[in-house]
Amino acid sequence: MLEDVFKAVDDYIKERVGFEDDILVKVRESSRFSTMPDANISPNQGKFLQILAKACNSSNILEIGTLVGYSTIWLARALQEGGKLITIESEEINYHLACKNIKEANFHGVVTIKKGKALDILPKIFENQTFAFDFIFIDADKPPYLEYLKWAIKMARKGSIIVLDNVIRNAQILEPNSTDPKVIGVKRLNDYLKNCKEADFTILQMVGEKEYDGMAIGIVK
Ligand code: DHB
Ligand code: MG
């Protein structure tokens, strides 16, 4: 019942300020061929991330977890003129869908999709890095979330914004004895935030068309 209201209000917001053009609709729909058809961010969440990324005047964005490139396109549209986005995807099927989608969205040359495990690819990006990322979005497999955050911090600068998706997981984070590796992964991340020296975080609970969840949002010190 309450879920129906959340969905209806999400639609209400979307009709006013969460407009998806034909490309975004097509890309979102292509995720039914992916390994995780329900894991896209929602249109309103896409707009939210886009506004945050624009607010940091982002010239360099890093995304961990491309899926089919839906969030990637929302974020790439926030880039400053000449800006670049690097995104990492480990699943072969998703990578191929994302490559096609990014090309269709006219971001070929702006967005680079790296295929492989983020924990293998992040050190390589770091080694060759000549600039800091202004905005980093983490929306990948949950068990290594804390490791992803630590890499993100290394690759950021003072004032960079880091966002992590799915840190509430239908309130399963309240269960002290959860054995779900995804819940354990985000709980480990959330607990780290309590004494995080390198960045100042908040966590936003989120309702809407997706399951009850939340995003952690931090500014690097
Ligand atoms: C899952 C992952 C996501 O990134 C998401 O937005 C929703 C669910 C999952 O792994 O269950
Ligand atoms: Mg997610």
Side-chain angles (χ1 to χ4, degrees):
M1 164 55 206
L2 209 46
E3 282 79 8
D4 295 341
V5 177
F6 294 153
K7 164 99 179 73
V9 172
D10 226 18
D11 287 342
Y12 173 95
I13 297 169
K14 199 160 50 180
E15 279 163 24
R16 285 157 181 80
V17 292
F19 177 76
E20 285 177 299
D21 62 6
D22 293 346
I23 295 276
L24 281 170
V25 173
K26 199 171 162 208
V27 170
R28 182 167 45 73
E29 288 176 351
S30 78
S31 70
R32 72 194 157 96
F33 302 110
S34 77
T35 58
M36 301 193 70
D38 299 319
N40 283 312
I41 55 166
S42 70
N44 290 329
Q45 288 173 331
K47 182 69 180 287
F48 171 68
L49 294 178
Q50 187 175 81
I51 288 171
L52 276 184
K54 273 192 187 168
C56 328
N57 295 321
S58 301
S59 290
N60 290 288
I61 296 179
L62 174 67
E63 179 181 61
I64 307 177
T66 317
L67 196 59
V68 297
Y70 181 76
S71 49
T72 318
I73 293 169
W74 278 105
L75 288 172
R77 288 179 178 174
L79 285 167
Q80 298 275 95
E81 187 78 34
K84 297 268 193 277
L85 186 154
I86 298 176
T87 182
I88 305 171
E89 176 56 45
S90 66
E91 297 283 352
E92 185 88 26
I93 305 171
N94 305 343
Y95 171 79
H96 287 293
L97 287 165
C99 288
K100 185 168 172 283
N101 289 336
I102 292 303
K103 209 167 161 195
E104 280 182 17
N106 277 321
F107 282 121
H108 192 68
V110 172
V111 171
T112 304
I113 312 174
K114 304 231 181 232
K115 185 165 83 70
K117 291 267 170 216
L119 290 178
D120 296 331
I121 290 174
L122 289 164
K124 291 184 190 151
I125 299 174
F126 181 64
E127 245 172 57
N128 299 313
Q129 197 181 3
T130 54
F131 52 81
F133 290 100
D134 308 297
F135 185 92
I136 301 172
F137 180 48
I138 301 174
D139 188 15
D141 50 329
K142 311 309 166 195
Y145 249 33
L146 180 54
E147 284 70 30
Y148 294 158
L149 172 65
K150 288 182 177 174
W151 277 109
I153 288 167
K154 275 161 84 112
M155 296 164 127
R157 56 163 169 83
K158 182 176 159 67
S160 297
I161 294 288
I162 301 176
V163 180
L164 299 103
D165 195 24
N166 312 114
V167 300
I168 298 299
R169 305 204 68 85
N170 229 339
Q172 288 179 83
I173 39 100
L174 296 180
E175 291 170 21
N177 302 319
S178 175
T179 54
D180 179 337
K182 295 180 184 181
V183 175
I184 293 170
V186 300
K187 280 173 72 171
R188 192 166 148 256
L189 178 275
N190 292 340
D191 290 345
Y192 179 82
L193 298 184
K194 187 170 177 183
N195 294 309
C196 180
K197 302 269 186 300
E198 307 94 341
D200 196 15
F201 267 88
T202 186
I203 298 176
L204 279 188
Q205 301 190 60
M206 288 180 165
V207 295
E209 64 186 66
K210 291 202 57 168
E211 267 201 333
Y212 169 42
D213 214 320
M215 290 188 187
I217 301 167
I219 182 160
V220 176
K221 290 182 190 166

PDB file of all heavy atoms in Angstrom, residues 62 86 88 114 118-133 136 148-157:
ATOM      1  N   LEU A  62      34.186   9.199 -12.201  1.00  0.00           N
ATOM      2  CA  LEU A  62      34.480   7.766 -12.152  1.00  0.00           C
ATOM      3  C   LEU A  62      33.221   7.044 -11.681  1.00  0.00           C
ATOM      4  O   LEU A  62      32.574   7.484 -10.724  1.00  0.00           O
ATOM      5  CB  LEU A  62      35.629   7.498 -11.167  1.00  0.00           C
ATOM      6  CG  LEU A  62      35.964   6.028 -10.880  1.00  0.00           C
ATOM      7  CD1 LEU A  62      36.527   5.327 -12.126  1.00  0.00           C
ATOM      8  CD2 LEU A  62      36.978   5.928  -9.724  1.00  0.00           C
ATOM      9  N   ILE A  86      35.012   7.717 -16.743  1.00  0.00           N
ATOM     10  CA  ILE A  86      35.491   6.323 -16.816  1.00  0.00           C
ATOM     11  C   ILE A  86      34.543   5.474 -15.997  1.00  0.00           C
ATOM     12  O   ILE A  86      34.192   5.825 -14.855  1.00  0.00           O
ATOM     13  CB  ILE A  86      36.925   6.177 -16.265  1.00  0.00           C
ATOM     14  CG1 ILE A  86      37.910   6.997 -17.102  1.00  0.00           C
ATOM     15  CG2 ILE A  86      37.360   4.709 -16.230  1.00  0.00           C
ATOM     16  CD1 ILE A  86      39.342   6.985 -16.577  1.00  0.00           C
ATOM     17  N   ILE A  88      33.452   1.232 -14.935  1.00  0.00           N
ATOM     18  CA  ILE A  88      34.011  -0.130 -14.862  1.00  0.00           C
ATOM     19  C   ILE A  88      32.881  -1.155 -14.767  1.00  0.00           C
ATOM     20  O   ILE A  88      31.978  -1.004 -13.930  1.00  0.00           O
ATOM     21  CB  ILE A  88      34.926  -0.279 -13.626  1.00  0.00           C
ATOM     22  CG1 ILE A  88      36.016   0.805 -13.619  1.00  0.00           C
ATOM     23  CG2 ILE A  88      35.552  -1.683 -13.570  1.00  0.00           C
ATOM     24  CD1 ILE A  88      36.835   0.854 -12.325  1.00  0.00           C
ATOM     25  N   LYS A 114      35.651   0.318 -18.969  1.00  0.00           N
ATOM     26  CA  LYS A 114      36.728  -0.655 -18.745  1.00  0.00           C
ATOM     27  C   LYS A 114      36.087  -1.956 -18.307  1.00  0.00           C
ATOM     28  O   LYS A 114      35.296  -1.973 -17.348  1.00  0.00           O
ATOM     29  CB  LYS A 114      37.676  -0.158 -17.655  1.00  0.00           C
ATOM     30  CG  LYS A 114      38.242   1.220 -17.978  1.00  0.00           C
ATOM     31  CD  LYS A 114      39.735   1.220 -17.855  1.00  0.00           C
ATOM     32  CE  LYS A 114      40.312   2.569 -18.149  1.00  0.00           C
ATOM     33  NZ  LYS A 114      41.370   2.518 -19.149  1.00  0.00           N
ATOM     34  N   ALA A 118      36.631  -4.510 -10.778  1.00  0.00           N
ATOM     35  CA  ALA A 118      37.038  -3.158 -10.353  1.00  0.00           C
ATOM     36  C   ALA A 118      38.311  -3.205  -9.506  1.00  0.00           C
ATOM     37  O   ALA A 118      39.175  -2.327  -9.629  1.00  0.00           O
ATOM     38  CB  ALA A 118      35.905  -2.489  -9.590  1.00  0.00           C
ATOM     39  N   LEU A 119      38.464  -4.253  -8.672  1.00  0.00           N
ATOM     40  CA  LEU A 119      39.645  -4.290  -7.798  1.00  0.00           C
ATOM     41  C   LEU A 119      40.933  -4.560  -8.584  1.00  0.00           C
ATOM     42  O   LEU A 119      42.025  -4.296  -8.090  1.00  0.00           O
ATOM     43  CB  LEU A 119      39.467  -5.304  -6.669  1.00  0.00           C
ATOM     44  CG  LEU A 119      38.431  -4.906  -5.597  1.00  0.00           C
ATOM     45  CD1 LEU A 119      38.286  -5.995  -4.542  1.00  0.00           C
ATOM     46  CD2 LEU A 119      38.777  -3.567  -4.936  1.00  0.00           C
ATOM     47  N   ASP A 120      40.806  -5.051  -9.823  1.00  0.00           N
ATOM     48  CA  ASP A 120      41.977  -5.178 -10.702  1.00  0.00           C
ATOM     49  C   ASP A 120      42.215  -3.886 -11.478  1.00  0.00           C
ATOM     50  O   ASP A 120      43.364  -3.512 -11.741  1.00  0.00           O
ATOM     51  CB  ASP A 120      41.773  -6.314 -11.729  1.00  0.00           C
ATOM     52  CG  ASP A 120      41.657  -7.670 -11.051  1.00  0.00           C
ATOM     53  OD1 ASP A 120      42.250  -7.839  -9.962  1.00  0.00           O
ATOM     54  OD2 ASP A 120      40.964  -8.550 -11.608  1.00  0.00           O
ATOM     55  N   ILE A 121      41.127  -3.244 -11.865  1.00  0.00           N
ATOM     56  CA  ILE A 121      41.227  -2.081 -12.756  1.00  0.00           C
ATOM     57  C   ILE A 121      41.556  -0.785 -12.001  1.00  0.00           C
ATOM     58  O   ILE A 121      42.327   0.043 -12.486  1.00  0.00           O
ATOM     59  CB  ILE A 121      39.925  -1.951 -13.575  1.00  0.00           C
ATOM     60  CG1 ILE A 121      39.874  -3.115 -14.578  1.00  0.00           C
ATOM     61  CG2 ILE A 121      39.832  -0.616 -14.294  1.00  0.00           C
ATOM     62  CD1 ILE A 121      38.612  -3.202 -15.356  1.00  0.00           C
ATOM     63  N   LEU A 122      41.016  -0.638 -10.809  1.00  0.00           N
ATOM     64  CA  LEU A 122      41.231   0.609 -10.049  1.00  0.00           C
ATOM     65  C   LEU A 122      42.722   0.913  -9.821  1.00  0.00           C
ATOM     66  O   LEU A 122      43.150   2.051 -10.035  1.00  0.00           O
ATOM     67  CB  LEU A 122      40.451   0.576  -8.734  1.00  0.00           C
ATOM     68  CG  LEU A 122      38.927   0.704  -8.897  1.00  0.00           C
ATOM     69  CD1 LEU A 122      38.194   0.283  -7.622  1.00  0.00           C
ATOM     70  CD2 LEU A 122      38.514   2.121  -9.291  1.00  0.00           C
ATOM     71  N   PRO A 123      43.546  -0.096  -9.426  1.00  0.00           N
ATOM     72  CA  PRO A 123      44.974   0.215  -9.236  1.00  0.00           C
ATOM     73  C   PRO A 123      45.641   0.695 -10.519  1.00  0.00           C
ATOM     74  O   PRO A 123      46.529   1.554 -10.474  1.00  0.00           O
ATOM     75  CB  PRO A 123      45.581  -1.124  -8.786  1.00  0.00           C
ATOM     76  CG  PRO A 123      44.433  -1.948  -8.321  1.00  0.00           C
ATOM     77  CD  PRO A 123      43.214  -1.479  -9.047  1.00  0.00           C
ATOM     78  N   LYS A 124      45.177   0.161 -11.657  1.00  0.00           N
ATOM     79  CA  LYS A 124      45.767   0.576 -12.944  1.00  0.00           C
ATOM     80  C   LYS A 124      45.385   2.012 -13.275  1.00  0.00           C
ATOM     81  O   LYS A 124      46.212   2.794 -13.757  1.00  0.00           O
ATOM     82  CB  LYS A 124      45.303  -0.359 -14.075  1.00  0.00           C
ATOM     83  CG  LYS A 124      45.881  -1.749 -13.933  1.00  0.00           C
ATOM     84  CD  LYS A 124      45.486  -2.623 -15.099  1.00  0.00           C
ATOM     85  CE  LYS A 124      45.850  -4.067 -14.825  1.00  0.00           C
ATOM     86  NZ  LYS A 124      44.971  -5.027 -15.493  1.00  0.00           N
ATOM     87  N   ILE A 125      44.136   2.358 -13.033  1.00  0.00           N
ATOM     88  CA  ILE A 125      43.719   3.752 -13.280  1.00  0.00           C
ATOM     89  C   ILE A 125      44.526   4.672 -12.363  1.00  0.00           C
ATOM     90  O   ILE A 125      45.036   5.700 -12.780  1.00  0.00           O
ATOM     91  CB  ILE A 125      42.200   3.942 -13.034  1.00  0.00           C
ATOM     92  CG1 ILE A 125      41.368   3.065 -13.977  1.00  0.00           C
ATOM     93  CG2 ILE A 125      41.793   5.418 -13.193  1.00  0.00           C
ATOM     94  CD1 ILE A 125      39.867   3.090 -13.702  1.00  0.00           C
ATOM     95  N   PHE A 126      44.674   4.241 -11.114  1.00  0.00           N
ATOM     96  CA  PHE A 126      45.385   5.046 -10.114  1.00  0.00           C
ATOM     97  C   PHE A 126      46.845   5.293 -10.533  1.00  0.00           C
ATOM     98  O   PHE A 126      47.356   6.405 -10.447  1.00  0.00           O
ATOM     99  CB  PHE A 126      45.316   4.355  -8.755  1.00  0.00           C
ATOM    100  CG  PHE A 126      45.999   5.103  -7.653  1.00  0.00           C
ATOM    101  CD1 PHE A 126      45.544   6.341  -7.242  1.00  0.00           C
ATOM    102  CD2 PHE A 126      47.112   4.567  -7.017  1.00  0.00           C
ATOM    103  CE1 PHE A 126      46.174   7.041  -6.211  1.00  0.00           C
ATOM    104  CE2 PHE A 126      47.753   5.251  -5.988  1.00  0.00           C
ATOM    105  CZ  PHE A 126      47.271   6.490  -5.583  1.00  0.00           C
ATOM    106  N   GLU A 127      47.489   4.228 -11.012  1.00  0.00           N
ATOM    107  CA  GLU A 127      48.897   4.311 -11.439  1.00  0.00           C
ATOM    108  C   GLU A 127      49.121   5.346 -12.530  1.00  0.00           C
ATOM    109  O   GLU A 127      50.120   6.043 -12.545  1.00  0.00           O
ATOM    110  CB  GLU A 127      49.311   2.952 -12.031  1.00  0.00           C
ATOM    111  CG  GLU A 127      50.372   2.213 -11.261  1.00  0.00           C
ATOM    112  CD  GLU A 127      50.554   0.814 -11.832  1.00  0.00           C
ATOM    113  OE1 GLU A 127      50.837   0.703 -13.044  1.00  0.00           O
ATOM    114  OE2 GLU A 127      50.374  -0.155 -11.065  1.00  0.00           O
ATOM    115  N   ASN A 128      48.153   5.408 -13.462  1.00  0.00           N
ATOM    116  CA  ASN A 128      48.307   6.300 -14.618  1.00  0.00           C
ATOM    117  C   ASN A 128      47.569   7.622 -14.460  1.00  0.00           C
ATOM    118  O   ASN A 128      47.473   8.404 -15.399  1.00  0.00           O
ATOM    119  CB  ASN A 128      47.764   5.599 -15.879  1.00  0.00           C
ATOM    120  CG  ASN A 128      48.526   4.328 -16.158  1.00  0.00           C
ATOM    121  OD1 ASN A 128      49.752   4.325 -16.133  1.00  0.00           O
ATOM    122  ND2 ASN A 128      47.820   3.233 -16.380  1.00  0.00           N
ATOM    123  N   GLN A 129      47.068   7.851 -13.260  1.00  0.00           N
ATOM    124  CA  GLN A 129      46.173   8.993 -13.060  1.00  0.00           C
ATOM    125  C   GLN A 129      46.938  10.321 -13.041  1.00  0.00           C
ATOM    126  O   GLN A 129      47.890  10.483 -12.289  1.00  0.00           O
ATOM    127  CB  GLN A 129      45.444   8.803 -11.726  1.00  0.00           C
ATOM    128  CG  GLN A 129      44.231   9.656 -11.553  1.00  0.00           C
ATOM    129  CD  GLN A 129      43.582   9.426 -10.190  1.00  0.00           C
ATOM    130  OE1 GLN A 129      44.070   8.664  -9.359  1.00  0.00           O
ATOM    131  NE2 GLN A 129      42.469  10.086  -9.954  1.00  0.00           N
ATOM    132  N   THR A 130      46.510  11.251 -13.889  1.00  0.00           N
ATOM    133  CA  THR A 130      47.162  12.571 -13.916  1.00  0.00           C
ATOM    134  C   THR A 130      46.222  13.658 -13.388  1.00  0.00           C
ATOM    135  O   THR A 130      46.556  14.829 -13.384  1.00  0.00           O
ATOM    136  CB  THR A 130      47.581  12.932 -15.355  1.00  0.00           C
ATOM    137  OG1 THR A 130      46.421  12.813 -16.192  1.00  0.00           O
ATOM    138  CG2 THR A 130      48.673  12.018 -15.864  1.00  0.00           C
ATOM    139  N   PHE A 131      45.021  13.247 -12.990  1.00  0.00           N
ATOM    140  CA  PHE A 131      44.019  14.211 -12.510  1.00  0.00           C
ATOM    141  C   PHE A 131      43.196  13.513 -11.427  1.00  0.00           C
ATOM    142  O   PHE A 131      43.191  12.282 -11.355  1.00  0.00           O
ATOM    143  CB  PHE A 131      43.090  14.616 -13.666  1.00  0.00           C
ATOM    144  CG  PHE A 131      42.511  13.407 -14.356  1.00  0.00           C
ATOM    145  CD1 PHE A 131      41.408  12.739 -13.824  1.00  0.00           C
ATOM    146  CD2 PHE A 131      43.102  12.900 -15.511  1.00  0.00           C
ATOM    147  CE1 PHE A 131      40.905  11.592 -14.439  1.00  0.00           C
ATOM    148  CE2 PHE A 131      42.601  11.745 -16.121  1.00  0.00           C
ATOM    149  CZ  PHE A 131      41.497  11.098 -15.581  1.00  0.00           C
ATOM    150  N   ALA A 132      42.516  14.294 -10.596  1.00  0.00           N
ATOM    151  CA  ALA A 132      41.626  13.705  -9.591  1.00  0.00           C
ATOM    152  C   ALA A 132      40.212  13.633 -10.150  1.00  0.00           C
ATOM    153  O   ALA A 132      39.827  14.454 -10.990  1.00  0.00           O
ATOM    154  CB  ALA A 132      41.642  14.572  -8.340  1.00  0.00           C
ATOM    155  N   PHE A 133      39.450  12.664  -9.686  1.00  0.00           N
ATOM    156  CA  PHE A 133      38.037  12.603 -10.079  1.00  0.00           C
ATOM    157  C   PHE A 133      37.234  13.559  -9.198  1.00  0.00           C
ATOM    158  O   PHE A 133      37.393  13.590  -7.985  1.00  0.00           O
ATOM    159  CB  PHE A 133      37.507  11.178  -9.958  1.00  0.00           C
ATOM    160  CG  PHE A 133      38.095  10.252 -10.988  1.00  0.00           C
ATOM    161  CD1 PHE A 133      39.139   9.396 -10.667  1.00  0.00           C
ATOM    162  CD2 PHE A 133      37.624  10.267 -12.293  1.00  0.00           C
ATOM    163  CE1 PHE A 133      39.704   8.564 -11.628  1.00  0.00           C
ATOM    164  CE2 PHE A 133      38.182   9.443 -13.263  1.00  0.00           C
ATOM    165  CZ  PHE A 133      39.218   8.587 -12.926  1.00  0.00           C
ATOM    166  N   ILE A 136      32.447  10.635  -7.921  1.00  0.00           N
ATOM    167  CA  ILE A 136      32.612   9.178  -8.032  1.00  0.00           C
ATOM    168  C   ILE A 136      31.323   8.509  -7.585  1.00  0.00           C
ATOM    169  O   ILE A 136      30.806   8.791  -6.492  1.00  0.00           O
ATOM    170  CB  ILE A 136      33.815   8.690  -7.186  1.00  0.00           C
ATOM    171  CG1 ILE A 136      35.102   9.390  -7.658  1.00  0.00           C
ATOM    172  CG2 ILE A 136      33.945   7.157  -7.257  1.00  0.00           C
ATOM    173  CD1 ILE A 136      36.326   9.155  -6.792  1.00  0.00           C
ATOM    174  N   TYR A 148      36.129  -0.415  -2.420  1.00  0.00           N
ATOM    175  CA  TYR A 148      35.828   0.552  -3.487  1.00  0.00           C
ATOM    176  C   TYR A 148      35.891   1.977  -2.942  1.00  0.00           C
ATOM    177  O   TYR A 148      36.433   2.874  -3.586  1.00  0.00           O
ATOM    178  CB  TYR A 148      34.440   0.292  -4.099  1.00  0.00           C
ATOM    179  CG  TYR A 148      34.306  -1.016  -4.842  1.00  0.00           C
ATOM    180  CD1 TYR A 148      33.055  -1.602  -5.041  1.00  0.00           C
ATOM    181  CD2 TYR A 148      35.418  -1.677  -5.365  1.00  0.00           C
ATOM    182  CE1 TYR A 148      32.910  -2.790  -5.730  1.00  0.00           C
ATOM    183  CE2 TYR A 148      35.285  -2.879  -6.053  1.00  0.00           C
ATOM    184  CZ  TYR A 148      34.022  -3.438  -6.235  1.00  0.00           C
ATOM    185  OH  TYR A 148      33.880  -4.618  -6.907  1.00  0.00           O
ATOM    186  N   LEU A 149      35.325   2.171  -1.759  1.00  0.00           N
ATOM    187  CA  LEU A 149      35.371   3.517  -1.175  1.00  0.00           C
ATOM    188  C   LEU A 149      36.816   3.960  -0.960  1.00  0.00           C
ATOM    189  O   LEU A 149      37.179   5.108  -1.257  1.00  0.00           O
ATOM    190  CB  LEU A 149      34.606   3.574   0.152  1.00  0.00           C
ATOM    191  CG  LEU A 149      34.779   4.908   0.889  1.00  0.00           C
ATOM    192  CD1 LEU A 149      34.157   6.067   0.101  1.00  0.00           C
ATOM    193  CD2 LEU A 149      34.197   4.866   2.293  1.00  0.00           C
ATOM    194  N   LYS A 150      37.661   3.047  -0.468  1.00  0.00           N
ATOM    195  CA  LYS A 150      39.055   3.431  -0.196  1.00  0.00           C
ATOM    196  C   LYS A 150      39.794   3.813  -1.477  1.00  0.00           C
ATOM    197  O   LYS A 150      40.559   4.781  -1.484  1.00  0.00           O
ATOM    198  CB  LYS A 150      39.770   2.315   0.560  1.00  0.00           C
ATOM    199  CG  LYS A 150      39.258   2.235   2.005  1.00  0.00           C
ATOM    200  CD  LYS A 150      39.978   1.179   2.818  1.00  0.00           C
ATOM    201  CE  LYS A 150      39.455   1.207   4.255  1.00  0.00           C
ATOM    202  NZ  LYS A 150      40.007   0.112   5.076  1.00  0.00           N
ATOM    203  N   TRP A 151      39.528   3.084  -2.562  1.00  0.00           N
ATOM    204  CA  TRP A 151      40.115   3.469  -3.850  1.00  0.00           C
ATOM    205  C   TRP A 151      39.575   4.821  -4.297  1.00  0.00           C
ATOM    206  O   TRP A 151      40.319   5.668  -4.796  1.00  0.00           O
ATOM    207  CB  TRP A 151      39.835   2.398  -4.917  1.00  0.00           C
ATOM    208  CG  TRP A 151      40.825   1.285  -4.848  1.00  0.00           C
ATOM    209  CD1 TRP A 151      40.615   0.013  -4.418  1.00  0.00           C
ATOM    210  CD2 TRP A 151      42.211   1.359  -5.213  1.00  0.00           C
ATOM    211  NE1 TRP A 151      41.774  -0.709  -4.488  1.00  0.00           N
ATOM    212  CE2 TRP A 151      42.764   0.088  -4.975  1.00  0.00           C
ATOM    213  CE3 TRP A 151      43.032   2.368  -5.717  1.00  0.00           C
ATOM    214  CZ2 TRP A 151      44.116  -0.193  -5.228  1.00  0.00           C
ATOM    215  CZ3 TRP A 151      44.372   2.093  -5.974  1.00  0.00           C
ATOM    216  CH2 TRP A 151      44.896   0.817  -5.721  1.00  0.00           C
ATOM    217  N   ALA A 152      38.278   5.003  -4.126  1.00  0.00           N
ATOM    218  CA  ALA A 152      37.646   6.269  -4.553  1.00  0.00           C
ATOM    219  C   ALA A 152      38.314   7.443  -3.838  1.00  0.00           C
ATOM    220  O   ALA A 152      38.646   8.457  -4.465  1.00  0.00           O
ATOM    221  CB  ALA A 152      36.149   6.237  -4.265  1.00  0.00           C
ATOM    222  N   ILE A 153      38.542   7.290  -2.552  1.00  0.00           N
ATOM    223  CA  ILE A 153      39.148   8.373  -1.770  1.00  0.00           C
ATOM    224  C   ILE A 153      40.558   8.691  -2.298  1.00  0.00           C
ATOM    225  O   ILE A 153      40.937   9.846  -2.444  1.00  0.00           O
ATOM    226  CB  ILE A 153      39.165   8.015  -0.270  1.00  0.00           C
ATOM    227  CG1 ILE A 153      37.731   8.082   0.291  1.00  0.00           C
ATOM    228  CG2 ILE A 153      40.092   8.946   0.507  1.00  0.00           C
ATOM    229  CD1 ILE A 153      37.562   7.460   1.670  1.00  0.00           C
ATOM    230  N   LYS A 154      41.314   7.621  -2.624  1.00  0.00           N
ATOM    231  CA  LYS A 154      42.676   7.824  -3.143  1.00  0.00           C
ATOM    232  C   LYS A 154      42.676   8.598  -4.466  1.00  0.00           C
ATOM    233  O   LYS A 154      43.628   9.285  -4.796  1.00  0.00           O
ATOM    234  CB  LYS A 154      43.331   6.461  -3.430  1.00  0.00           C
ATOM    235  CG  LYS A 154      43.989   5.815  -2.224  1.00  0.00           C
ATOM    236  CD  LYS A 154      44.193   4.323  -2.464  1.00  0.00           C
ATOM    237  CE  LYS A 154      45.447   4.014  -3.233  1.00  0.00           C
ATOM    238  NZ  LYS A 154      46.447   3.310  -2.404  1.00  0.00           N
ATOM    239  N   MET A 155      41.601   8.412  -5.234  1.00  0.00           N
ATOM    240  CA  MET A 155      41.561   8.993  -6.584  1.00  0.00           C
ATOM    241  C   MET A 155      40.820  10.314  -6.629  1.00  0.00           C
ATOM    242  O   MET A 155      40.613  10.883  -7.706  1.00  0.00           O
ATOM    243  CB  MET A 155      40.898   7.997  -7.520  1.00  0.00           C
ATOM    244  CG  MET A 155      41.703   6.741  -7.652  1.00  0.00           C
ATOM    245  SD  MET A 155      40.697   5.479  -8.359  1.00  0.00           S
ATOM    246  CE  MET A 155      41.691   4.989  -9.670  1.00  0.00           C
ATOM    247  N   ALA A 156      40.427  10.795  -5.461  1.00  0.00           N
ATOM    248  CA  ALA A 156      39.649  12.039  -5.395  1.00  0.00           C
ATOM    249  C   ALA A 156      40.535  13.186  -4.927  1.00  0.00           C
ATOM    250  O   ALA A 156      41.740  13.025  -4.734  1.00  0.00           O
ATOM    251  CB  ALA A 156      38.483  11.840  -4.435  1.00  0.00           C
ATOM    252  N   ARG A 157      39.941  14.346  -4.746  1.00  0.00           N
ATOM    253  CA  ARG A 157      40.647  15.529  -4.225  1.00  0.00           C
ATOM    254  C   ARG A 157      39.772  16.108  -3.115  1.00  0.00           C
ATOM    255  O   ARG A 157      38.615  15.708  -2.964  1.00  0.00           O
ATOM    256  CB  ARG A 157      40.846  16.571  -5.331  1.00  0.00           C
ATOM    257  CG  ARG A 157      39.509  16.961  -5.960  1.00  0.00           C
ATOM    258  CD  ARG A 157      39.529  18.230  -6.750  1.00  0.00           C
ATOM    259  NE  ARG A 157      38.284  18.359  -7.518  1.00  0.00           N
ATOM    260  CZ  ARG A 157      37.138  18.831  -7.029  1.00  0.00           C
ATOM    261  NH1 ARG A 157      37.036  19.224  -5.780  1.00  0.00           N
ATOM    262  NH2 ARG A 157      36.053  18.902  -7.803  1.00  0.00           N
TER     263      ARG A 157
END
